Amino acid sequence: MKALVFQGTGRLAWQDVPDPGVKDPADAIVRVDAVTICGTDLHILKGDVPEVTSGRILGHEAVGTVVETGSDVRTVRPGDRVLISCITACGRCRFCREGRYGQCRGGGGWILGHTIDGTQAEYVRVPFADLSVYPLPSAVESSDAVLLADIFPTSYEVGVLNGGVRPADTVVVVGAGPVGLAAVVTARLYSPGQIVAVDLADSRLAAARTLGADATVTAGEDPEQFVADLTDGLGADVVMEAVGVPETFEMCTRMVRPGGRVANIGVHGKPATLHLEELWIKDVTITTGLVDTYSTPLLLRMMSAGRLPATSLVTHRFPLDRMEEAYDVFGRAADTGALKVVLAGA
């Protein structure tokens, strides 16, 4: 089969690799029908995730069709169309029993495209299939459903729920990429008073307004002062960091009000300074997290009911064999206006 293979920092190739096969009775082999690229994949390409070694097939989000299952798989069978979650769950370890699948110690967690071969390929092996894939209703389009593999549960769990968004809150989302935009969408479920989106790109801020942001501000317009003016100097109730660089994290801690919450969503490749000399007296709560995907069934029901605007997040579509071009377009989002790119198989 063909797959997108990481070949070291800054280097990728769409090349021939061996077909995957069942290695464990809990495995499923899935033909990839739709796949996307994550900002985390760009972090890997930059060398920010050293656990990903040369030769790894990348990708952790996909929709596909089951073609083979191991003898222990009970919930899906060949021919079923499924969502492949970015998180794999053994279902037996302490963390899985607590619903914290991202911290799985039984061989799961974030492994696809990280410590085992991932989804940016014609076929993928999915371990622990009973808890790691979700049958899809026919009414949900594959290009929409693939957004439930990562960005919607990540924004909802790590951003909105960890941030404790409540009615009438002032919510600031720093970074209006796909995850930040999904945070705008899912924050609105809790009726905040106002949502402010911050980004460098005008195209992404326009998308944020379309998806429900009440105000937008570019980095050059002094977002800290903008939020201060908007809140009479108090600061935001909830600030979500959805970029993953030290400067934006530190800005988030300056924009939050006393007693407020900072929810870090972004993947960081460098250290950020935690200014406890300023924060210790403000009663600020800072949360971090890898998505657990416990919310995926809920979000899937919402999408099936037409309650999640997903289609507008997909700006570019490619056939699967144009993976390298798709990476280029997604990686130059400031120039191309790319939000989510979706690649479909034959």
Side-chain angles (χ1 to χ4, degrees):
M1 70 171 185
K2 293 284 190 178
L4 194 282
V5 180
F6 176 63
Q7 297 185 330
T9 302
R11 294 183 292 124
L12 299 168
W14 179 253
Q15 65 185 57
D16 289 315
V17 298
D19 292 347
V22 170
K23 294 182 178 180
D24 184 274
D27 289 349
I29 306 301
V30 181
R31 184 191 72 220
V32 174
D33 299 329
V35 67
T36 185
I37 303 169
C38 181
T40 303
D41 296 320
L42 299 183
H43 280 280
I44 292 170
L45 188 58
K46 290 193 298 182
D48 290 344
V49 188
E51 300 85 4
V52 181
T53 56
S54 181
R56 177 70 61 227
I57 297 171
L58 297 186
H60 51 266
E61 310 161 85
V63 168
T65 302
V66 177
V67 297
E68 185 181 359
T69 59
S71 59
D72 288 351
V73 177
R74 297 288 182 267
T75 60
V76 294
R77 60 186 180 181
D80 287 349
R81 191 171 68 110
V82 296
L83 169 69
I84 301 172
S85 176
C86 66
I87 297 297
T88 304
C90 80
R92 296 185 296 268
C93 72
R94 167 186 170 175
F95 291 109
C96 283
R97 288 177 179 273
E98 294 174 357
R100 299 181 65 186
Y101 308 118
Q103 303 302 320
C104 175
R105 291 298 183 267
W110 172 37
I111 58 173
L112 290 170
H114 184 205
T115 58
I116 70 170
D117 287 335
T119 59
Q120 291 169 4
E122 293 178 317
Y123 293 88
V124 60
R125 179 181 72 91
V126 183
F128 306 114
D130 279 340
L131 288 171
S132 306
V133 301
Y134 299 85
L136 287 172
S138 59
V140 177
E141 295 288 338
S142 295
S143 60
D144 291 341
V146 75
L147 304 187
L148 296 180
D150 188 348
I151 67 165
F152 269 105
T154 293
S155 63
Y156 182 57
E157 295 174 19
V158 185
V160 175
L161 296 184
N162 281 2
V165 175
R166 297 191 289 254
D169 275 353
T170 295
V171 176
V172 178
V173 179
V174 178
V179 169
L181 293 173
V184 170
V185 171
T186 51
R188 285 183 59 83
L189 299 173
Y190 291 84
S191 300
Q194 49 199 347
I195 300 175
V196 180
V198 180
D199 202 274
L200 293 169
D202 290 335
S203 60
R204 292 191 165 190
L205 293 178
R209 290 190 293 271
T210 299
L211 291 168
D214 301 287
T216 59
V217 56
T218 66
E221 295 174 316
D222 194 351
E224 293 178 51
Q225 188 61 52
F226 183 90
V227 171
D229 292 343
L230 192 66
T231 59
D232 295 325
L234 186 64
D237 300 288
V238 181
V239 186
M240 302 183 207
E241 201 284 344
V243 180
V245 298
E247 294 80 7
T248 51
F249 173 78
E250 293 168 30
M251 180 173 68
C252 288
T253 65
R254 293 191 296 268
M255 288 197 292
V256 69
R257 67 164 172 81
R261 288 89 66 197
V262 175
N264 183 86
I265 312 173
V267 177
H268 289 262
K270 296 180 181 178
T273 301
L274 182 63
H275 289 282
L276 284 177
E277 78 280 6
E278 299 170 0
L279 294 171
W280 74 269
I281 202 169
K282 290 180 66 176
D283 298 337
V284 170
T285 298
I286 298 174
T287 59
T288 65
L290 172 67
V291 64
D292 292 311
T293 66
Y294 62 80
S295 67
T296 300
L298 168 68
L299 295 168
L300 181 55
R301 292 196 300 273
M302 292 184 64
M303 180 172 283
S304 298
R307 302 295 186 184
L308 285 182
T311 302
S312 59
L313 286 169
V314 178
T315 55
H316 294 75
R317 300 173 189 269
F318 298 90
L320 199 58
D321 61 4
R322 288 169 61 189
M323 186 71 73
E324 291 170 286
E325 180 183 352
Y327 259 87
D328 177 64
V329 168
F330 186 63
R332 295 186 299 108
D335 301 321
T336 63
L339 295 176
K340 242 354 200 178
V341 303
V342 171
L343 300 99

PDB file of all heavy atoms in Angstrom, residues 262-294:
ATOM      1  N   VAL A 262      -7.336  29.327  32.796  1.00  0.00           N
ATOM      2  CA  VAL A 262      -6.585  29.226  31.550  1.00  0.00           C
ATOM      3  C   VAL A 262      -6.529  27.755  31.168  1.00  0.00           C
ATOM      4  O   VAL A 262      -6.022  26.929  31.934  1.00  0.00           O
ATOM      5  CB  VAL A 262      -5.152  29.781  31.691  1.00  0.00           C
ATOM      6  CG1 VAL A 262      -4.367  29.551  30.399  1.00  0.00           C
ATOM      7  CG2 VAL A 262      -5.174  31.261  32.050  1.00  0.00           C
ATOM      8  N   ALA A 263      -7.077  27.431  30.003  1.00  0.00           N
ATOM      9  CA  ALA A 263      -7.074  26.045  29.513  1.00  0.00           C
ATOM     10  C   ALA A 263      -6.091  25.948  28.362  1.00  0.00           C
ATOM     11  O   ALA A 263      -6.333  26.502  27.284  1.00  0.00           O
ATOM     12  CB  ALA A 263      -8.474  25.635  29.065  1.00  0.00           C
ATOM     13  N   ASN A 264      -4.993  25.267  28.578  1.00  0.00           N
ATOM     14  CA  ASN A 264      -4.009  25.090  27.513  1.00  0.00           C
ATOM     15  C   ASN A 264      -4.387  23.898  26.646  1.00  0.00           C
ATOM     16  O   ASN A 264      -4.504  22.776  27.132  1.00  0.00           O
ATOM     17  CB  ASN A 264      -2.619  24.867  28.089  1.00  0.00           C
ATOM     18  CG  ASN A 264      -1.578  24.747  26.991  1.00  0.00           C
ATOM     19  OD1 ASN A 264      -1.051  25.752  26.517  1.00  0.00           O
ATOM     20  ND2 ASN A 264      -1.291  23.537  26.551  1.00  0.00           N
ATOM     21  N   ILE A 265      -4.604  24.157  25.355  1.00  0.00           N
ATOM     22  CA  ILE A 265      -4.902  23.103  24.388  1.00  0.00           C
ATOM     23  C   ILE A 265      -3.708  22.850  23.484  1.00  0.00           C
ATOM     24  O   ILE A 265      -3.481  21.735  23.030  1.00  0.00           O
ATOM     25  CB  ILE A 265      -6.121  23.492  23.511  1.00  0.00           C
ATOM     26  CG1 ILE A 265      -7.293  24.002  24.362  1.00  0.00           C
ATOM     27  CG2 ILE A 265      -6.576  22.305  22.674  1.00  0.00           C
ATOM     28  CD1 ILE A 265      -8.442  24.554  23.531  1.00  0.00           C
ATOM     29  N   GLY A 266      -2.938  23.877  23.192  1.00  0.00           N
ATOM     30  CA  GLY A 266      -1.875  23.806  22.205  1.00  0.00           C
ATOM     31  C   GLY A 266      -0.788  22.808  22.564  1.00  0.00           C
ATOM     32  O   GLY A 266      -0.523  22.526  23.738  1.00  0.00           O
ATOM     33  N   VAL A 267      -0.145  22.260  21.530  1.00  0.00           N
ATOM     34  CA  VAL A 267       0.994  21.346  21.685  1.00  0.00           C
ATOM     35  C   VAL A 267       2.265  22.187  21.704  1.00  0.00           C
ATOM     36  O   VAL A 267       2.575  22.872  20.732  1.00  0.00           O
ATOM     37  CB  VAL A 267       1.040  20.331  20.531  1.00  0.00           C
ATOM     38  CG1 VAL A 267       2.268  19.435  20.651  1.00  0.00           C
ATOM     39  CG2 VAL A 267      -0.237  19.496  20.517  1.00  0.00           C
ATOM     40  N   HIS A 268       2.994  22.128  22.798  1.00  0.00           N
ATOM     41  CA  HIS A 268       4.170  22.980  22.964  1.00  0.00           C
ATOM     42  C   HIS A 268       5.448  22.209  22.705  1.00  0.00           C
ATOM     43  O   HIS A 268       5.642  21.109  23.242  1.00  0.00           O
ATOM     44  CB  HIS A 268       4.206  23.571  24.382  1.00  0.00           C
ATOM     45  CG  HIS A 268       3.156  24.605  24.615  1.00  0.00           C
ATOM     46  ND1 HIS A 268       3.398  25.952  24.526  1.00  0.00           N
ATOM     47  CD2 HIS A 268       1.832  24.479  24.898  1.00  0.00           C
ATOM     48  CE1 HIS A 268       2.289  26.621  24.769  1.00  0.00           C
ATOM     49  NE2 HIS A 268       1.322  25.744  24.990  1.00  0.00           N
ATOM     50  N   GLY A 269       6.333  22.801  21.909  1.00  0.00           N
ATOM     51  CA  GLY A 269       7.628  22.198  21.639  1.00  0.00           C
ATOM     52  C   GLY A 269       8.765  22.877  22.362  1.00  0.00           C
ATOM     53  O   GLY A 269       9.900  22.414  22.323  1.00  0.00           O
ATOM     54  N   LYS A 270       8.456  23.995  23.060  1.00  0.00           N
ATOM     55  CA  LYS A 270       9.481  24.742  23.792  1.00  0.00           C
ATOM     56  C   LYS A 270       8.942  25.111  25.171  1.00  0.00           C
ATOM     57  O   LYS A 270       7.733  25.219  25.364  1.00  0.00           O
ATOM     58  CB  LYS A 270       9.863  26.018  23.030  1.00  0.00           C
ATOM     59  CG  LYS A 270      10.501  25.775  21.676  1.00  0.00           C
ATOM     60  CD  LYS A 270      10.833  27.107  20.994  1.00  0.00           C
ATOM     61  CE  LYS A 270      11.463  26.879  19.624  1.00  0.00           C
ATOM     62  NZ  LYS A 270      11.753  28.163  18.940  1.00  0.00           N
ATOM     63  N   PRO A 271       9.822  25.354  26.132  1.00  0.00           N
ATOM     64  CA  PRO A 271       9.369  25.758  27.466  1.00  0.00           C
ATOM     65  C   PRO A 271       8.708  27.132  27.436  1.00  0.00           C
ATOM     66  O   PRO A 271       9.083  27.999  26.652  1.00  0.00           O
ATOM     67  CB  PRO A 271      10.660  25.805  28.289  1.00  0.00           C
ATOM     68  CG  PRO A 271      11.660  25.017  27.515  1.00  0.00           C
ATOM     69  CD  PRO A 271      11.282  25.174  26.068  1.00  0.00           C
ATOM     70  N   ALA A 272       7.718  27.286  28.297  1.00  0.00           N
ATOM     71  CA  ALA A 272       7.076  28.586  28.497  1.00  0.00           C
ATOM     72  C   ALA A 272       7.293  29.004  29.942  1.00  0.00           C
ATOM     73  O   ALA A 272       7.341  28.159  30.849  1.00  0.00           O
ATOM     74  CB  ALA A 272       5.581  28.512  28.189  1.00  0.00           C
ATOM     75  N   THR A 273       7.427  30.292  30.176  1.00  0.00           N
ATOM     76  CA  THR A 273       7.645  30.802  31.533  1.00  0.00           C
ATOM     77  C   THR A 273       6.317  30.913  32.266  1.00  0.00           C
ATOM     78  O   THR A 273       5.359  31.486  31.741  1.00  0.00           O
ATOM     79  CB  THR A 273       8.333  32.172  31.494  1.00  0.00           C
ATOM     80  OG1 THR A 273       9.587  32.041  30.811  1.00  0.00           O
ATOM     81  CG2 THR A 273       8.577  32.694  32.896  1.00  0.00           C
ATOM     82  N   LEU A 274       6.255  30.358  33.447  1.00  0.00           N
ATOM     83  CA  LEU A 274       5.068  30.486  34.293  1.00  0.00           C
ATOM     84  C   LEU A 274       5.372  31.573  35.317  1.00  0.00           C
ATOM     85  O   LEU A 274       6.164  31.371  36.244  1.00  0.00           O
ATOM     86  CB  LEU A 274       4.762  29.160  34.992  1.00  0.00           C
ATOM     87  CG  LEU A 274       3.523  29.122  35.876  1.00  0.00           C
ATOM     88  CD1 LEU A 274       2.267  29.374  35.055  1.00  0.00           C
ATOM     89  CD2 LEU A 274       3.427  27.791  36.604  1.00  0.00           C
ATOM     90  N   HIS A 275       4.722  32.715  35.169  1.00  0.00           N
ATOM     91  CA  HIS A 275       5.030  33.877  36.008  1.00  0.00           C
ATOM     92  C   HIS A 275       4.274  33.795  37.329  1.00  0.00           C
ATOM     93  O   HIS A 275       3.336  34.551  37.590  1.00  0.00           O
ATOM     94  CB  HIS A 275       4.703  35.167  35.254  1.00  0.00           C
ATOM     95  CG  HIS A 275       5.648  35.459  34.139  1.00  0.00           C
ATOM     96  ND1 HIS A 275       6.903  35.989  34.345  1.00  0.00           N
ATOM     97  CD2 HIS A 275       5.544  35.252  32.798  1.00  0.00           C
ATOM     98  CE1 HIS A 275       7.529  36.130  33.186  1.00  0.00           C
ATOM     99  NE2 HIS A 275       6.728  35.684  32.234  1.00  0.00           N
ATOM    100  N   LEU A 276       4.754  32.905  38.198  1.00  0.00           N
ATOM    101  CA  LEU A 276       4.090  32.747  39.490  1.00  0.00           C
ATOM    102  C   LEU A 276       4.243  33.981  40.359  1.00  0.00           C
ATOM    103  O   LEU A 276       3.428  34.202  41.267  1.00  0.00           O
ATOM    104  CB  LEU A 276       4.661  31.524  40.209  1.00  0.00           C
ATOM    105  CG  LEU A 276       4.172  30.167  39.692  1.00  0.00           C
ATOM    106  CD1 LEU A 276       4.864  29.032  40.431  1.00  0.00           C
ATOM    107  CD2 LEU A 276       2.663  30.036  39.828  1.00  0.00           C
ATOM    108  N   GLU A 277       5.252  34.788  40.076  1.00  0.00           N
ATOM    109  CA  GLU A 277       5.407  36.024  40.853  1.00  0.00           C
ATOM    110  C   GLU A 277       4.234  36.979  40.634  1.00  0.00           C
ATOM    111  O   GLU A 277       3.968  37.846  41.472  1.00  0.00           O
ATOM    112  CB  GLU A 277       6.736  36.716  40.510  1.00  0.00           C
ATOM    113  CG  GLU A 277       6.767  37.492  39.189  1.00  0.00           C
ATOM    114  CD  GLU A 277       6.957  36.608  37.958  1.00  0.00           C
ATOM    115  OE1 GLU A 277       6.954  35.369  38.095  1.00  0.00           O
ATOM    116  OE2 GLU A 277       7.099  37.167  36.861  1.00  0.00           O
ATOM    117  N   GLU A 278       3.511  36.794  39.542  1.00  0.00           N
ATOM    118  CA  GLU A 278       2.326  37.598  39.269  1.00  0.00           C
ATOM    119  C   GLU A 278       1.031  36.812  39.475  1.00  0.00           C
ATOM    120  O   GLU A 278       0.001  37.377  39.847  1.00  0.00           O
ATOM    121  CB  GLU A 278       2.376  38.116  37.824  1.00  0.00           C
ATOM    122  CG  GLU A 278       3.574  39.003  37.536  1.00  0.00           C
ATOM    123  CD  GLU A 278       3.715  39.299  36.055  1.00  0.00           C
ATOM    124  OE1 GLU A 278       2.876  38.810  35.264  1.00  0.00           O
ATOM    125  OE2 GLU A 278       4.677  39.998  35.688  1.00  0.00           O
ATOM    126  N   LEU A 279       1.087  35.497  39.238  1.00  0.00           N
ATOM    127  CA  LEU A 279      -0.132  34.694  39.252  1.00  0.00           C
ATOM    128  C   LEU A 279      -0.510  34.163  40.621  1.00  0.00           C
ATOM    129  O   LEU A 279      -1.684  33.864  40.859  1.00  0.00           O
ATOM    130  CB  LEU A 279       0.027  33.507  38.290  1.00  0.00           C
ATOM    131  CG  LEU A 279       0.141  33.847  36.804  1.00  0.00           C
ATOM    132  CD1 LEU A 279       0.519  32.607  36.008  1.00  0.00           C
ATOM    133  CD2 LEU A 279      -1.179  34.423  36.296  1.00  0.00           C
ATOM    134  N   TRP A 280       0.442  34.040  41.540  1.00  0.00           N
ATOM    135  CA  TRP A 280       0.151  33.376  42.806  1.00  0.00           C
ATOM    136  C   TRP A 280      -0.980  34.053  43.562  1.00  0.00           C
ATOM    137  O   TRP A 280      -1.765  33.400  44.256  1.00  0.00           O
ATOM    138  CB  TRP A 280       1.410  33.313  43.677  1.00  0.00           C
ATOM    139  CG  TRP A 280       1.787  34.651  44.303  1.00  0.00           C
ATOM    140  CD1 TRP A 280       2.602  35.589  43.783  1.00  0.00           C
ATOM    141  CD2 TRP A 280       1.343  35.147  45.561  1.00  0.00           C
ATOM    142  NE1 TRP A 280       2.709  36.674  44.623  1.00  0.00           N
ATOM    143  CE2 TRP A 280       1.940  36.424  45.734  1.00  0.00           C
ATOM    144  CE3 TRP A 280       0.509  34.653  46.564  1.00  0.00           C
ATOM    145  CZ2 TRP A 280       1.726  37.213  46.864  1.00  0.00           C
ATOM    146  CZ3 TRP A 280       0.286  35.438  47.696  1.00  0.00           C
ATOM    147  CH2 TRP A 280       0.899  36.703  47.845  1.00  0.00           C
ATOM    148  N   ILE A 281      -1.115  35.347  43.410  1.00  0.00           N
ATOM    149  CA  ILE A 281      -2.097  36.105  44.180  1.00  0.00           C
ATOM    150  C   ILE A 281      -3.452  36.205  43.474  1.00  0.00           C
ATOM    151  O   ILE A 281      -4.426  36.676  44.052  1.00  0.00           O
ATOM    152  CB  ILE A 281      -1.540  37.520  44.475  1.00  0.00           C
ATOM    153  CG1 ILE A 281      -2.250  38.145  45.685  1.00  0.00           C
ATOM    154  CG2 ILE A 281      -1.645  38.418  43.234  1.00  0.00           C
ATOM    155  CD1 ILE A 281      -1.577  39.410  46.176  1.00  0.00           C
ATOM    156  N   LYS A 282      -3.534  35.720  42.232  1.00  0.00           N
ATOM    157  CA  LYS A 282      -4.754  35.911  41.431  1.00  0.00           C
ATOM    158  C   LYS A 282      -5.731  34.739  41.481  1.00  0.00           C
ATOM    159  O   LYS A 282      -6.795  34.800  40.857  1.00  0.00           O
ATOM    160  CB  LYS A 282      -4.365  36.170  39.962  1.00  0.00           C
ATOM    161  CG  LYS A 282      -3.695  37.526  39.735  1.00  0.00           C
ATOM    162  CD  LYS A 282      -3.345  37.719  38.262  1.00  0.00           C
ATOM    163  CE  LYS A 282      -4.585  37.812  37.381  1.00  0.00           C
ATOM    164  NZ  LYS A 282      -4.215  38.089  35.960  1.00  0.00           N
ATOM    165  N   ASP A 283      -5.415  33.674  42.193  1.00  0.00           N
ATOM    166  CA  ASP A 283      -6.324  32.514  42.275  1.00  0.00           C
ATOM    167  C   ASP A 283      -6.651  31.946  40.894  1.00  0.00           C
ATOM    168  O   ASP A 283      -7.776  31.518  40.631  1.00  0.00           O
ATOM    169  CB  ASP A 283      -7.638  32.884  42.996  1.00  0.00           C
ATOM    170  CG  ASP A 283      -7.415  33.327  44.421  1.00  0.00           C
ATOM    171  OD1 ASP A 283      -6.383  32.954  45.005  1.00  0.00           O
ATOM    172  OD2 ASP A 283      -8.275  34.053  44.955  1.00  0.00           O
ATOM    173  N   VAL A 284      -5.676  31.949  40.025  1.00  0.00           N
ATOM    174  CA  VAL A 284      -5.893  31.482  38.659  1.00  0.00           C
ATOM    175  C   VAL A 284      -5.734  29.958  38.589  1.00  0.00           C
ATOM    176  O   VAL A 284      -4.838  29.386  39.216  1.00  0.00           O
ATOM    177  CB  VAL A 284      -4.895  32.150  37.687  1.00  0.00           C
ATOM    178  CG1 VAL A 284      -4.939  31.513  36.310  1.00  0.00           C
ATOM    179  CG2 VAL A 284      -5.195  33.641  37.597  1.00  0.00           C
ATOM    180  N   THR A 285      -6.613  29.310  37.848  1.00  0.00           N
ATOM    181  CA  THR A 285      -6.510  27.875  37.586  1.00  0.00           C
ATOM    182  C   THR A 285      -5.975  27.671  36.167  1.00  0.00           C
ATOM    183  O   THR A 285      -6.521  28.236  35.216  1.00  0.00           O
ATOM    184  CB  THR A 285      -7.873  27.189  37.710  1.00  0.00           C
ATOM    185  OG1 THR A 285      -8.357  27.333  39.049  1.00  0.00           O
ATOM    186  CG2 THR A 285      -7.774  25.699  37.370  1.00  0.00           C
ATOM    187  N   ILE A 286      -4.919  26.881  36.031  1.00  0.00           N
ATOM    188  CA  ILE A 286      -4.345  26.560  34.731  1.00  0.00           C
ATOM    189  C   ILE A 286      -4.467  25.053  34.523  1.00  0.00           C
ATOM    190  O   ILE A 286      -4.050  24.267  35.377  1.00  0.00           O
ATOM    191  CB  ILE A 286      -2.868  26.981  34.635  1.00  0.00           C
ATOM    192  CG1 ILE A 286      -2.735  28.502  34.805  1.00  0.00           C
ATOM    193  CG2 ILE A 286      -2.258  26.545  33.302  1.00  0.00           C
ATOM    194  CD1 ILE A 286      -1.301  29.000  34.858  1.00  0.00           C
ATOM    195  N   THR A 287      -5.070  24.675  33.422  1.00  0.00           N
ATOM    196  CA  THR A 287      -5.216  23.253  33.117  1.00  0.00           C
ATOM    197  C   THR A 287      -4.468  22.916  31.832  1.00  0.00           C
ATOM    198  O   THR A 287      -4.328  23.748  30.930  1.00  0.00           O
ATOM    199  CB  THR A 287      -6.686  22.850  32.953  1.00  0.00           C
ATOM    200  OG1 THR A 287      -7.277  23.608  31.887  1.00  0.00           O
ATOM    201  CG2 THR A 287      -7.478  23.079  34.233  1.00  0.00           C
ATOM    202  N   THR A 288      -3.994  21.688  31.777  1.00  0.00           N
ATOM    203  CA  THR A 288      -3.391  21.157  30.560  1.00  0.00           C
ATOM    204  C   THR A 288      -4.099  19.843  30.262  1.00  0.00           C
ATOM    205  O   THR A 288      -4.876  19.341  31.074  1.00  0.00           O
ATOM    206  CB  THR A 288      -1.891  20.899  30.739  1.00  0.00           C
ATOM    207  OG1 THR A 288      -1.708  19.862  31.704  1.00  0.00           O
ATOM    208  CG2 THR A 288      -1.168  22.150  31.219  1.00  0.00           C
ATOM    209  N   GLY A 289      -3.809  19.263  29.119  1.00  0.00           N
ATOM    210  CA  GLY A 289      -4.425  17.972  28.885  1.00  0.00           C
ATOM    211  C   GLY A 289      -4.252  17.452  27.473  1.00  0.00           C
ATOM    212  O   GLY A 289      -4.190  18.219  26.512  1.00  0.00           O
ATOM    213  N   LEU A 290      -4.174  16.143  27.384  1.00  0.00           N
ATOM    214  CA  LEU A 290      -4.336  15.428  26.129  1.00  0.00           C
ATOM    215  C   LEU A 290      -5.778  14.961  26.088  1.00  0.00           C
ATOM    216  O   LEU A 290      -6.314  14.515  27.109  1.00  0.00           O
ATOM    217  CB  LEU A 290      -3.383  14.232  26.084  1.00  0.00           C
ATOM    218  CG  LEU A 290      -3.540  13.259  24.911  1.00  0.00           C
ATOM    219  CD1 LEU A 290      -3.159  13.945  23.601  1.00  0.00           C
ATOM    220  CD2 LEU A 290      -2.677  12.021  25.134  1.00  0.00           C
ATOM    221  N   VAL A 291      -6.400  15.075  24.957  1.00  0.00           N
ATOM    222  CA  VAL A 291      -7.807  14.680  24.853  1.00  0.00           C
ATOM    223  C   VAL A 291      -7.982  13.217  25.261  1.00  0.00           C
ATOM    224  O   VAL A 291      -7.129  12.373  25.007  1.00  0.00           O
ATOM    225  CB  VAL A 291      -8.325  14.911  23.421  1.00  0.00           C
ATOM    226  CG1 VAL A 291      -7.602  14.038  22.412  1.00  0.00           C
ATOM    227  CG2 VAL A 291      -9.823  14.710  23.338  1.00  0.00           C
ATOM    228  N   ASP A 292      -9.106  12.922  25.921  1.00  0.00           N
ATOM    229  CA  ASP A 292      -9.448  11.548  26.287  1.00  0.00           C
ATOM    230  C   ASP A 292     -10.457  10.920  25.338  1.00  0.00           C
ATOM    231  O   ASP A 292     -10.600   9.707  25.289  1.00  0.00           O
ATOM    232  CB  ASP A 292     -10.010  11.511  27.711  1.00  0.00           C
ATOM    233  CG  ASP A 292      -8.951  11.851  28.747  1.00  0.00           C
ATOM    234  OD1 ASP A 292      -7.857  11.270  28.693  1.00  0.00           O
ATOM    235  OD2 ASP A 292      -9.217  12.716  29.612  1.00  0.00           O
ATOM    236  N   THR A 293     -11.200  11.732  24.622  1.00  0.00           N
ATOM    237  CA  THR A 293     -12.243  11.327  23.650  1.00  0.00           C
ATOM    238  C   THR A 293     -13.433  10.636  24.305  1.00  0.00           C
ATOM    239  O   THR A 293     -14.199   9.963  23.628  1.00  0.00           O
ATOM    240  CB  THR A 293     -11.688  10.440  22.500  1.00  0.00           C
ATOM    241  OG1 THR A 293     -11.228   9.185  23.006  1.00  0.00           O
ATOM    242  CG2 THR A 293     -10.557  11.141  21.766  1.00  0.00           C
ATOM    243  N   TYR A 294     -13.644  10.843  25.610  1.00  0.00           N
ATOM    244  CA  TYR A 294     -14.856  10.303  26.235  1.00  0.00           C
ATOM    245  C   TYR A 294     -16.110  10.988  25.701  1.00  0.00           C
ATOM    246  O   TYR A 294     -17.210  10.448  25.813  1.00  0.00           O
ATOM    247  CB  TYR A 294     -14.784  10.449  27.762  1.00  0.00           C
ATOM    248  CG  TYR A 294     -14.694  11.864  28.268  1.00  0.00           C
ATOM    249  CD1 TYR A 294     -15.826  12.674  28.376  1.00  0.00           C
ATOM    250  CD2 TYR A 294     -13.463  12.403  28.629  1.00  0.00           C
ATOM    251  CE1 TYR A 294     -15.732  13.980  28.836  1.00  0.00           C
ATOM    252  CE2 TYR A 294     -13.361  13.709  29.089  1.00  0.00           C
ATOM    253  CZ  TYR A 294     -14.503  14.491  29.194  1.00  0.00           C
ATOM    254  OH  TYR A 294     -14.405  15.786  29.642  1.00  0.00           O
TER     255      TYR A 294
END
